[in-house]
Amino acid sequence: MKYIFLILSFSLALFAQTEQEDITKQAIVKIYTVAKIPSYQSPWSSSMRSSTGSGAIIEGGYILTNAHVVANQAFLEVQRYGERKRYIAKVYAVSHQADLALLKVEDKAFFKDVVPLKFGTLPEVEQKIVVYGYPMGGSTLSATIGVVSRVEHHVYAHSGESFLAVQVDAAVNPGNSGGPALSDGKIVGVVMQVITKSQNIGYLVPVTMVRHFIDDMKDGHYDGFADLGLGTQKLENPAIRRYYGLDENVTGKLIDKVVYDSPAAGILHEGDIITAIDGHQIENDGTVEFRRHEYTDFYYFVDQHQMGEKVSLDIIRDQKPMQVEVPLSMTGDDMYLVKTTRYDQMPTYVIYGGYVFSPLTRNLIRSTNRNRLKLSCLAGKWQEKEKEEVVVLLKVLASDISRGDNDFGMWPIDKVNGKAFKNFKEFFTLMEALEAPYYFLEDNDGVKVVIDRKEAAQKQQEILKKYNIEYDRSEDLRGKVTP
């Protein structure tokens, strides 16, 4: 009788577990995306691409997935586990910074009898997780089991920015992106990326980032993750520590740059040493202890705040300790000289007589190896008061008026007829307003390109027709008149 009772108890527990797993699977979604992919080397054209990804139904009637699953989307469909019907979906909110997106489905039948997944907490190292999704190799739902290997800052491939990430050893493959990682039946992360040529090293967007994103969107507007606009360096070298008069008990990071219009401008100075953030000690390598014996970049505590809040910093200035508060009002993209990777929009460009100009973006740098070293160096810089954006001569369309200039490409321009400009908007205004007979373009090294303004205007339509280009400028510049 005792054995019968044990077998019955085990059977009931197994049945309950199976039933719970089935309820969980009902909330897993396959996402079908048709995307319009811009060509940054030929910014007037684009191509179409179809792909699939994964997602999870959460409270509020939303589908949680990755931003890169739906980036540049032209048409979206979603399909629930165990069903063959596809439903049309729309992007409700997206954070390309954090590689997260929320989708909406208007047809209420899509959500019938589904139990939305709930959020858990930031997982611990060695914690067991289950990854659900629709990876390559089949069309049905896949579930892989693994453990959390580490939790620390990592570069998000989609945006190129660094945030907290969860590394797992569960098998993750293309198509898994956007799928939930569950522990005890609750979402602890969203599958984001893998390290190629590795053995089962995948990364999740942690649940803390997901909660930040969802809280941010509650007012219907996405503000993003804030940046202080600081350049900092480690204080591990003994000589630099002696130079700044630091004893062994003082740790922190040295500020070597404050962006001229950043939230920290006027509050923090170059040469200040940040020793703590929100009361948490910053180590000499720039990390903070966010959990016992676990360290990550000190920006972890910046990312805990929403835009509009303030972060508290303990600093040493001229060997005197003090405390300051910095308002959080800008993202890194507001202050970078070269904008982060662009999505969901066509590139900006303008053509004069076959000479194609565009603002420099990371998309453009990644689209070619041409002049890569110089342009990548620019991508690592902050804005200055006199320079907020880089403009390049993207390419020269060969014609009789551009002979000898066809080797110019991805060439940064610094002056138009001797006048410097801050950004592409000012560059465009200068070019449109110019009445001199020549466009005289120059870079910082003194290299020059000269375009006959009248000849360029006369040949413009002929050149555009030859290269099958409908418009001489991007849509955002059309209709703009000369000031």
Side-chain angles (χ1 to χ4, degrees):
M1 190 70 179
K2 179 180 179 181
Y3 295 111
I4 294 174
F5 178 75
L6 288 173
I7 292 170
L8 182 61
S9 298
F10 178 76
S11 299
L12 288 172
L14 188 62
F15 175 78
Q17 181 181 348
T18 303
E19 187 178 32
Q20 180 58 48
E21 288 177 353
D22 189 60
I23 291 173
T24 296
K25 290 176 182 178
Q26 295 295 325
I28 311 302
V29 175
K30 187 171 186 178
I31 301 170
Y32 298 83
T33 304
V34 178
K36 177 183 176 182
I37 310 300
S39 168
Y40 277 80
Q41 285 298 307
S42 300
W44 48 84
S45 65
S46 62
S47 59
M48 303 302 289
R49 184 179 69 194
S50 297
S51 62
T52 61
S54 307
I57 297 172
I58 61 173
E59 291 182 344
Y62 300 108
I63 299 169
L64 175 66
T65 187
N66 283 140
H68 77 257
V69 170
V70 297
N72 301 310
Q73 59 84 26
F75 183 67
L76 288 178
E77 290 181 303
V78 292
Q79 184 182 60
R80 273 181 52 188
Y81 164 75
E83 297 185 2
R84 306 316 301 161
K85 182 177 179 179
R86 298 185 189 181
Y87 294 80
I88 295 175
K90 303 286 186 183
V91 175
Y92 173 77
V94 63
S95 169
H96 292 295
Q97 260 189 311
D99 199 2
L100 293 169
L102 295 176
L103 312 184
K104 273 282 196 181
V105 177
E106 291 184 4
D107 192 333
K108 302 301 181 186
F110 175 78
F111 298 99
K112 184 179 180 181
D113 298 328
V114 70
V115 178
L117 295 180
K118 297 183 181 298
F119 294 118
T121 57
L122 185 67
E124 302 281 348
V125 174
E126 298 183 9
Q127 186 169 326
K128 185 179 176 181
I129 54 104
V130 182
V131 171
Y132 288 97
Y134 293 87
M136 61 186 295
S139 59
T140 57
L141 182 65
S142 166
T144 56
I145 299 173
V147 297
V148 174
S149 307
R150 54 168 69 107
V151 180
E152 61 184 2
H153 269 61
H154 195 80
V155 174
Y156 285 27
H158 184 64
S159 65
E161 297 190 50
S162 179
F163 296 106
L164 194 72
V166 176
Q167 182 182 316
V168 297
D169 69 354
V172 174
N173 293 291
N176 266 124
S177 290
L182 305 182
S183 183
D184 295 326
K186 294 183 178 181
I187 298 174
V188 295
V190 176
V191 177
M192 170 177 55
Q193 62 199 47
V194 298
I195 294 182
T196 56
K197 299 182 180 179
S198 68
Q199 293 186 346
N200 294 345
I201 298 180
Y203 291 92
L204 314 176
V205 181
V207 66
T208 50
M209 295 285 288
V210 178
R211 286 183 181 277
H212 186 290
F213 167 57
I214 292 175
D215 288 344
D216 187 346
M217 283 305 307
K218 284 182 178 178
D219 63 355
H221 179 265
Y222 176 67
D223 296 306
F225 289 82
D227 197 294
L228 297 175
L230 301 176
T232 61
Q233 66 182 80
K234 299 176 182 179
L235 283 172
E236 296 176 308
N237 179 266
I240 195 170
R241 293 181 59 79
R242 288 195 298 270
Y243 179 84
Y244 283 98
L246 304 177
D247 62 41
E248 292 182 0
N249 297 320
V250 177
T251 61
K253 289 201 83 175
L254 173 68
I255 298 176
D256 55 27
K257 176 70 175 179
V258 180
V259 180
Y260 81 98
D261 65 344
S262 74
I267 300 173
L268 295 172
H269 302 161
E270 293 176 12
D272 287 350
I273 296 165
I274 311 174
T275 59
I277 179 166
D278 284 344
H280 300 273
Q281 179 178 323
I282 299 176
E283 303 297 326
N284 289 325
D285 62 356
T287 62
V288 291
E289 187 178 38
F290 69 101
R291 287 192 304 209
R292 182 172 169 79
H293 300 314
E294 290 186 78
Y295 292 82
T296 193
D297 191 276
F298 78 92
Y299 258 87
Y300 171 84
F301 288 105
V302 176
D303 297 337
Q304 302 308 298
H305 291 277
Q306 292 288 350
M307 200 75 75
E309 298 177 357
K310 293 183 178 181
V311 65
S312 174
L313 300 174
D314 292 350
I315 66 171
I316 295 176
R317 178 179 297 162
D318 299 327
Q319 299 188 358
K320 296 177 182 178
M322 60 181 68
Q323 191 174 79
V324 298
E325 286 190 330
V326 178
L328 302 176
S329 58
M330 300 174 76
T331 66
D333 206 47
D334 297 323
M335 297 175 279
Y336 295 143
L337 183 61
V338 177
K339 298 297 184 185
T340 52
T341 311
R342 308 282 89 184
Y343 299 100
D344 303 328
Q345 62 188 67
M346 291 294 288
T348 295
Y349 73 92
V350 65
I351 303 173
Y352 296 102
Y355 293 77
V356 185
F357 302 94
S358 180
L360 183 63
T361 63
R362 282 171 171 78
N363 305 69
L364 200 49
I365 295 173
R366 290 162 63 176
S367 69
T368 179
N369 287 323
R370 198 168 190 179
N371 209 9
R372 174 71 71 87
L373 183 61
K374 182 175 183 178
L375 298 180
S376 295
C377 181
L378 290 172
K381 295 182 179 297
W382 295 99
Q383 294 177 1
E384 300 288 350
K385 189 173 183 178
E386 65 279 0
K387 196 69 173 177
E388 295 179 349
E389 191 173 39
V390 178
V391 176
V392 294
L393 172 55
L394 174 59
K395 62 168 62 176
V396 180
L397 304 173
S399 70
D400 57 338
I401 67 172
S402 62
R403 287 177 299 168
D405 286 345
N406 300 122
D407 289 337
F408 280 91
M410 299 293 287
W411 178 60
I413 304 161
D414 294 287
K415 293 179 182 178
V416 174
N417 288 47
K419 294 182 179 179
F421 50 87
K422 293 176 64 173
N423 49 40
F424 187 84
K425 181 180 178 181
E426 284 194 7
F427 167 81
F428 177 73
T429 300
L430 280 172
M431 294 289 279
E432 289 288 281
L434 199 65
E435 295 182 353
Y438 298 99
Y439 297 117
F440 188 83
L441 311 175
E442 191 174 358
D443 69 7
N444 272 335
D445 297 322
V447 180
K448 303 169 182 64
V449 167
V450 179
I451 306 170
D452 187 306
R453 188 171 65 87
K454 184 177 180 180
E455 189 177 44
Q458 291 173 341
K459 294 280 187 175
Q460 181 89 314
Q461 290 305 314
E462 178 185 328
I463 294 169
L464 294 179
K465 184 177 181 181
K466 180 187 294 185
Y467 288 92
N468 197 29
I469 301 171
E470 186 175 3
Y471 297 104
D472 67 351
R473 63 197 64 191
S474 53
E475 187 175 3
D476 56 319
L477 299 180
R478 290 172 212 158
K480 295 185 182 296
V481 295
T482 303

